[in-house]
């Protein structure tokens, strides 16, 4: 029996659809949202977090984004995911610039790291 997708996960897929068709899958008690096989967002604690990296983190912070932080073995662990601005949750058009940043971070994470010569 396949469990139905959570309404908030479906809404998040609709919001992020400007960067391509999105798929929501159960992941660690929340949801992972991907497009073209790349994870661009997660939903945890009923909150949407979009993929970031060190190059884009300052933009997320400037927009008031909160990082995805969880506790493991008594330590706070931070993943490269941030909340989008609240107004971006209102429409796909307002989410589009943030969805593009998340997709850029996912594409960059997929590329092989450059090897440095010694």
């Amino acid at each position: 029996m396949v469990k139905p997708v959570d309404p908030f996960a479906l809404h998040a897929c609709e919001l992020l659809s400007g960067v391509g068709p999105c798929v929501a899958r159960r992941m660690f008690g929340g949801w992972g949202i991907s497009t073209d096989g790349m994870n661009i967002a997660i939903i945890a604690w009923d909150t949407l977090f979009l993929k970031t990296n060190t190059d884009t983190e300052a933009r997320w912070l400037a927009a008031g984004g909160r990082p995805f932080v969880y506790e493991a073995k008594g330590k706070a662990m931070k993943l490269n995911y941030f909340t989008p601005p609240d107004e971006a949750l209102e429409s796909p058009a307002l989410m589009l610039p943030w969805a593009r940043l998340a997709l850029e971070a996912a594409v960059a994470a997929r590329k092989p790291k450059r090897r440095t010569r010694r």
Side-chain angles (χ1 to χ4, degrees), residues 55-67:
D55 294 337
T56 62
E57 187 173 312
R59 291 184 64 185
W60 294 94
L61 287 169
R66 296 181 325 275

Side-chain angles (χ1 to χ4, degrees), residues 33-75:
I33 299 176
S34 61
T35 186
D36 196 25
M38 294 178 286
N39 209 41
I40 60 169
I42 56 176
I43 296 174
W45 313 294
D46 297 320
T47 303
L48 178 65
F49 296 88
L50 302 182
K51 186 142 183 81
T52 64
N53 60 25
T54 54
D55 294 337
T56 62
E57 187 173 312
R59 291 184 64 185
W60 294 94
L61 287 169
R66 296 181 325 275
F68 177 85
V69 179
Y70 68 98
E71 191 171 314
K73 298 180 183 177
K75 288 184 174 181

Side-chain angles (χ1 to χ4, degrees), residues 68-115:
F68 177 85
V69 179
Y70 68 98
E71 191 171 314
K73 298 180 183 177
K75 288 184 174 181
M77 307 294 288
K78 181 180 142 196
L79 294 181
N80 285 330
Y81 289 87
F82 273 78
T83 57
D86 289 340
E87 62 272 9
L89 297 171
E90 295 175 17
S91 76
L94 293 172
M95 182 62 78
L96 187 56
W98 303 103
R100 285 181 177 147
L101 276 179
L103 181 59
E104 286 174 27
V107 168
R110 183 182 252 190
K111 289 182 182 175
K113 305 257 191 270
R114 286 189 181 187
R115 293 181 124 181

